[in-house]
Amino acid sequence: MIVTYNWLKEYVDFSLSPEELSHRLTMAGLEVDAMDHLGAGLDSVIVARLETVEPHPQADRLTCCQVNTGSEVIPVVCGATNHRAGDLVALATVGSVLPGDFKIKKSKIRGYESRGMLCSETELGLARESAGILILPPDLPLGEPLFSALQLKDVRYEIGLTPNRADCLSVVGIAREVAAIAGSRLRLPQPAAVPETSDGIADLARVDIDQPDMCPRYMARLIRSVTIGPSPQWLVRRLETLGLRSINNVVDVTNYVLMELGHPLHAFDFNRLRGGRIQVRAAQEGDRFTTLDGQERLLQSGDAVICDAVGPVALAGIMGGENSEINDQTRDVLLESAYFDPLTIRRTSKRLGIHSESSHRFERGADIAMVPLALERAAVLIQQLAGGELVRGTLDSYVRPLLPRTLQLRRQAANGLLGLDLSLTRMAALLESIGLACRELPDERLEVVVPTGRHDLEREVDLVEEIARLHGYDEIPVTLPVSRILLQKPDARQQLIGRVRDQLVAQGASELINYSFVSPTLWDRLQLADDDPRRQNVRILNPLTEEQSVMRTSLVPSMLETLARNLSYRNTDLTLFELRPVFRVSDQDLPQEGLRLCLALTGRRMPEGWAQTDQMVDFFDLKGLIEGLAQALNLGSVSFVAGSGEPFLHPGKSCCLWSGGLQPRQLGVLGELHPVVQDCFELPQPVFIADLDVEALVALGSAPVCFTPISRYPDVTRDSAFLVDAEVPAQALLDVVQQMRLVDLDEVVLFDLYTGSGVPEGKKSLAIRARYRSREKTLTDEEISQMHGRLVKEVLKKLPAQLR
């Protein structure tokens, strides 16, 4: 909202300087974003008279002028065409600096001396557009600084309002706040009494409201025999100061009153209203209507329209129509002042993409009590500026009265929130300064009647906020809050989840956070069976798009889409994970929500560099990542069982992850992505992916970590290689050794897998290295040989194996 210092003084008396006013408004919650001193530094622009105007002999579009400054006559070359001898003009003398840092210098133009510049309104910052140099009123004194002579020196404030303060979308609204700040009284503009015709408006026009929920009140006045023409300079400059363009005297009055009182108005050409009737109703579905901007609009049944006896003539509260606009031939004007439902205006305005000064105010909530004052103010101004005569009476259809809201304010509660000790009388005085009516009740309470223009005051706490800003935020004592510091340790579940994240990041993985909303078509791309329970999705009631219409039951599709997006940007070496909930349909009111972990690897094993070997990640990189996670969480023994049963994994290159112990539990699946799924997600390179059940990890828990000191006695290793069938997993060999529980066996590692020359067809060689070390003594060769012999014997007994 834009207001000026001098304009505010027309409605309230105050002695604050422009700078003090800016500060006080900001501290009252009306933040001043910008403050411009109009005419500052332009005293060198003076009133001058053109003595002679002659064509420039060397240029067709230039004129040579002799300009009288009051003290001397100087030559000036001008490029405008709207001036003639005898006109008073604005002369920027040599040394003047105009807006835009344009400095006036003495110069020669096509051989003729020029000692100044004749200025337009645009060059002086008075208007955005101008048709030529500024022609001044003939009675101004020569040599007088222009801005002083025209009384244009002013300070313009640009105030950034929050959406809830619709009451301040006017000069009077800001003036009301200034009156409260300065402890003064607000003076509302009072329309002058003007003669009216003998015939009444009810005999000439009619107003009907068919939709009271869209338009509770509609008023109209008729002004006959007006003369459409340009507005006086005072009105033009007022509008241009606010960034509005002058159109004609009637339309300018409606815009002026809009900015002055904050209530939108609309002027109809009465002779173009068929039947002399105004009807406020809902639009017919599919109606077409052309607005003032020349655009044809397709209407819906939820739109409010103003109609004559035949059809729409305006979009209610938003924009008028071409078929009833004011033009040069207009003689009779029907002036509208109404109140429209904010939700209706906002819905129509957003749908049609129309944002006007009118819709901006109606959709935030106008003041229904301002309807008659705005109408009378505008009608009188039109009669004064456009001539004509006011028809007796007013059409006022008020079918659904909107009553002021009544709230109660407790002194103790208000002071408790603010940390103050204000009396009830002081609180009442602060609220009454902005137009709220207060009455003291027993038990130190106030009954507060909220004006119809303050839609933001709905609860007691809103009144407390008004008291705070009017009393002054800087008057509220600064105190440290009193509170207790509570130490709340994360529970075991939270700790484990945090450790999962930390461990994966420590192993070089990057975490993703994807939307929980996905497309139902993803399950087809994932090759899930028709009866797969993951196809039973929780649907979103009001989805933004079909691509985000269901809650995901698996993290895998989102992971694959993220991989595809990264690979398309040539980010080809990726180790990613997502630890987020999935949602399954349940018999309860709410869906079943479970936490899952999705891991994915693709690209090269080592980053690009001088020592790069271009080795690509494979299944065992993913397996090692999960083994590292299991070891970090101290989950105990886990096993990998070939075959996952998941349709999105390669059947020969995937497995299930199981927990050990007496009651094994499946923890998830891992493996290479199925080639068909890889193609469906447009992935150009192999992807290795794991889908783990975090709830199962939580239920499994982590075993306590026990410290075991390193033995001070030496260790001895023994290597053995076994021939086994190619289908026998290496883990089977390690399981046999671990089940023996040899006391002095420190560790067993698989260090070689060999097939080829020397190994029969269908066989493979698995070599293990056993480390022996006692915590009590140095082991002898005989003791070590006995233990290792038992180990070899047990392997040969439990497995179909041969010693190499």
Side-chain angles (χ1 to χ4, degrees):
M1 180 64 199
I2 297 176
V3 297
T4 68
Y5 185 84
N6 291 336
W7 201 352
L8 290 171
K9 275 186 168 290
E10 294 181 13
Y11 309 110
V12 61
D13 295 324
F14 60 91
S15 58
L16 299 171
S17 69
E19 290 73 19
E20 290 174 330
L21 179 61
S22 173
H23 174 72
R24 295 289 294 275
L25 284 172
T26 299
M27 293 306 297
L30 307 180
E31 184 176 1
V32 176
D33 292 336
M35 184 174 70
D36 300 323
H37 291 264
L38 302 179
L42 293 176
D43 287 344
S44 56
V45 180
I46 62 174
V47 178
R49 184 173 60 241
L50 298 176
E51 297 293 343
T52 62
V53 178
E54 299 177 353
H56 194 296
Q58 304 297 329
D60 295 338
R61 298 184 180 181
L62 300 179
T63 57
C64 295
C65 307
Q66 294 296 317
V67 184
N68 187 348
T69 67
S71 59
E72 61 177 330
V73 177
I74 61 174
V76 175
V77 177
C78 180
T81 60
N82 65 317
H83 57 296
R84 63 181 184 271
D87 285 342
L88 293 190
V89 295
L91 172 67
T93 58
V94 173
S96 302
V97 180
L98 301 183
D101 200 25
F102 180 64
K103 188 173 184 179
I104 306 301
K105 301 177 181 179
K106 180 179 178 181
S107 60
K108 276 194 175 184
I109 302 176
R110 297 289 183 93
Y112 280 76
E113 183 182 31
S114 183
R115 292 168 53 190
M117 186 177 86
L118 305 185
C119 301
S120 68
E121 292 176 284
T122 303
E123 291 161 338
L124 296 174
L126 295 175
R128 295 182 179 180
E129 300 177 2
S130 57
I133 65 171
L134 176 61
I135 306 300
L136 303 175
D139 55 349
L140 298 180
L142 298 183
E144 183 79 8
L146 174 70
F147 282 84
S148 299
L150 294 177
Q151 297 181 345
L152 292 177
K153 281 208 167 185
D154 206 345
V155 178
R156 179 171 55 197
Y157 301 98
E158 185 174 344
I159 300 175
L161 295 176
T162 52
N164 65 313
R165 292 306 304 272
D167 61 299
C168 289
L169 287 169
S170 65
V171 179
V172 165
I174 302 296
R176 183 181 292 108
E177 296 292 316
V178 175
I181 292 170
S184 186
R185 293 183 64 85
L186 175 69
R187 296 188 300 270
L188 288 176
Q190 298 299 322
V194 297
E196 297 181 337
T197 63
S198 58
D199 52 343
I201 189 174
D203 299 327
L204 303 172
R206 174 183 171 185
V207 170
D208 295 312
I209 298 178
D210 295 349
Q211 300 287 338
D213 55 331
M214 291 182 172
C215 177
R217 188 176 193 181
Y218 192 102
M219 295 184 69
R221 291 215 67 174
L222 182 60
I223 308 101
R224 305 183 72 175
S225 302
V226 301
T227 300
I228 304 299
S231 297
Q233 285 298 312
W234 71 265
L235 179 54
V236 173
R237 290 202 170 86
R238 273 278 165 89
L239 294 176
E240 288 174 344
T241 299
L242 302 179
L244 299 178
R245 180 173 58 89
S246 174
I247 298 174
N248 58 54
N249 46 10
V250 172
V251 176
D252 287 355
V253 165
T254 62
N255 287 333
Y256 175 79
V257 174
L258 164 68
M259 305 308 293
E260 180 187 47
L261 298 179
H263 196 84
L265 304 165
H266 188 68
F268 296 98
D269 186 330
F270 181 67
N271 296 320
R272 300 173 70 183
L273 292 178
R274 294 154 294 189
R277 179 189 178 192
I278 288 291
Q279 180 187 21
V280 186
R281 62 171 175 82
Q284 300 292 328
E285 191 73 29
D287 276 355
R288 293 185 179 273
F289 172 67
T290 302
T291 48
L292 284 172
D293 56 3
Q295 299 293 317
E296 187 179 62
R297 312 289 181 175
L298 181 63
L299 305 183
Q300 296 181 357
S301 58
D303 303 329
V305 290
I306 310 297
C307 301
D308 59 10
V310 177
V313 292
L315 274 176
I318 299 175
M319 186 176 290
E322 276 189 343
N323 56 357
S324 63
E325 68 175 321
I326 302 296
N327 55 43
D328 294 343
Q329 285 73 45
T330 298
R331 292 296 173 263
D332 300 334
V333 174
L334 185 75
L335 189 62
E336 164 202 290
S337 181
Y339 176 87
F340 298 105
D341 173 57
L343 293 179
T344 301
I345 302 302
R346 184 181 303 119
R347 183 167 52 243
T348 302
S349 175
K350 299 301 181 187
R351 183 179 62 80
L352 296 177
I354 306 176
H355 183 268
S356 62
E357 292 288 351
S358 176
S359 67
H360 185 77
R361 285 156 178 80
F362 276 128
E363 68 185 20
R364 284 161 174 75
D367 185 2
I368 198 169
M370 192 63 71
V371 171
L373 175 60
L375 179 65
E376 196 65 23
R377 171 73 165 157
V380 171
L381 282 174
I382 289 175
Q383 193 275 333
Q384 292 174 348
L385 300 183
E389 52 188 7
L390 276 173
V391 175
R392 177 173 53 84
T394 303
L395 296 177
D396 186 4
S397 182
Y398 199 176
V399 293
R400 197 186 72 179
L402 299 183
L403 301 177
R405 186 182 296 110
T406 301
L407 302 175
Q408 288 196 6
L409 175 68
R410 297 165 295 166
R411 174 179 176 269
Q412 183 177 2
N415 283 326
L417 282 173
L418 300 177
L420 298 173
D421 188 21
L422 300 179
S423 66
L424 210 60
T425 303
R426 171 62 174 164
M427 292 181 182
L430 291 173
L431 295 175
E432 288 171 349
S433 70
I434 55 172
L436 279 66
C438 299
R439 183 170 68 92
E440 291 194 20
L441 299 175
D443 301 329
E444 292 196 306
R445 291 177 295 126
L446 275 181
E447 181 183 79
V448 182
V449 179
V450 180
T452 52
R454 290 304 302 268
H455 301 273
D456 58 314
L457 303 182
E458 299 177 339
R459 302 170 297 166
E460 180 185 37
V461 70
D462 298 326
L463 299 177
V464 176
E465 183 181 0
E466 293 297 290
I467 291 172
R469 69 181 190 83
L470 294 171
H471 181 69
Y473 293 124
D474 47 357
E475 296 295 326
I476 297 176
V478 178
T479 56
L480 291 175
V482 177
S483 62
R484 293 182 300 162
I485 299 177
L486 300 177
L487 179 60
Q488 185 174 3
K489 293 181 63 177
D491 57 28
R493 172 191 173 88
Q494 293 171 323
Q495 290 183 30
L496 187 138
I497 293 171
R499 288 168 60 190
V500 169
R501 281 196 170 94
D502 292 344
Q503 178 60 26
L504 291 174
V505 171
Q507 294 190 72
S510 299
E511 184 174 9
L512 303 179
I513 299 179
N514 283 309
Y515 287 116
S516 295
F517 315 139
V518 297
S519 169
T521 61
L522 283 178
W523 315 123
D524 294 331
R525 297 166 64 188
L526 209 62
Q527 307 300 308
L528 296 186
D530 293 339
D531 58 349
D532 194 300
R534 285 170 292 190
R535 284 186 177 271
Q536 304 299 317
N537 301 129
V538 179
R539 297 199 65 86
I540 299 169
L541 294 179
N542 188 24
L544 294 175
T545 65
E546 183 63 23
E547 297 300 314
Q548 294 181 329
S549 61
V550 299
M551 306 293 287
R552 59 181 174 178
T553 55
S554 171
L555 303 182
V556 174
S558 300
M559 174 64 75
L560 297 180
E561 286 187 326
T562 302
L563 287 171
R565 190 178 308 114
N566 276 270
L567 292 174
S568 68
Y569 287 110
R570 300 183 61 81
N571 187 18
T572 57
D573 305 323
L574 300 168
T575 301
L576 306 176
F577 77 94
E578 184 172 13
L579 180 56
R580 304 287 290 171
V582 296
F583 304 86
R584 302 283 181 92
V585 175
S586 70
D587 298 333
Q588 308 299 321
D589 293 337
L590 296 176
Q592 180 183 355
E593 185 175 342
L595 203 60
R596 296 195 73 86
L597 170 65
C598 185
L599 280 162
L601 280 73
T602 188
R604 291 171 294 194
R605 182 172 292 127
M606 300 296 293
E608 187 173 5
W610 67 272
Q612 176 185 338
T613 60
D614 280 338
Q615 291 183 341
M616 307 299 285
V617 295
D618 57 21
F619 169 84
F620 295 101
D621 290 282
L622 179 61
K623 180 173 178 287
L625 193 66
I626 294 175
E627 287 176 332
L629 177 63
Q631 184 178 6
L633 299 178
N634 204 25
L635 296 179
S637 62
V638 293
S639 59
F640 299 85
V641 179
S644 65
E646 287 288 5
F648 57 85
L649 292 179
H650 194 299
K653 301 178 182 180
S654 61
C655 67
C656 291
L657 177 66
W658 288 81
S659 65
L662 298 177
Q663 296 181 335
R665 179 174 180 177
Q666 185 173 344
L667 303 179
V669 296
L670 64 150
E672 184 176 342
L673 192 66
H674 197 289
V676 174
V677 178
Q678 182 178 328
D679 291 340
C680 288
F681 283 89
E682 300 180 359
L683 295 165
Q685 62 191 44
V687 172
F688 299 89
I689 197 162
D691 183 20
L692 305 182
D693 184 357
V694 178
E695 302 297 342
L697 294 179
V698 172
L700 185 62
S702 58
V705 179
C706 300
F707 171 73
T708 302
I710 298 176
S711 174
R712 61 189 182 92
Y713 298 102
D715 65 315
V716 178
T717 61
R718 291 286 189 272
D719 296 344
S720 295
F722 299 90
L723 279 177
V724 297
D725 293 338
E727 293 80 14
V728 175
Q731 185 64 42
L733 174 60
L734 297 176
D735 289 342
V736 170
V737 175
Q738 290 170 356
Q739 290 169 6
M740 293 184 65
R741 300 185 183 279
L742 297 173
V743 176
D744 295 329
L745 179 61
D746 239 11
E747 67 173 352
V748 176
V749 296
L750 179 71
F751 71 89
D752 184 51
L753 184 152
Y754 175 72
T755 58
S757 177
V759 175
E761 182 105 13
K763 298 286 186 177
K764 62 182 176 182
S765 172
L766 299 177
I768 62 172
R769 176 168 294 149
R771 182 187 304 275
Y772 299 97
R773 176 160 48 193
S774 172
R775 301 185 180 281
E776 299 175 353
K777 63 178 183 177
T778 300
L779 296 174
T780 64
D781 286 343
E782 183 178 352
E783 291 172 329
I784 294 170
S785 297
Q786 287 181 356
M787 283 188 290
H788 193 68
R790 289 174 54 198
L791 184 150
V792 171
K793 185 177 180 181
E794 187 71 12
V795 171
L796 297 177
K797 178 182 176 182
K798 295 290 182 68
L799 293 178
Q802 302 176 16
L803 188 65
R804 281 189 68 193

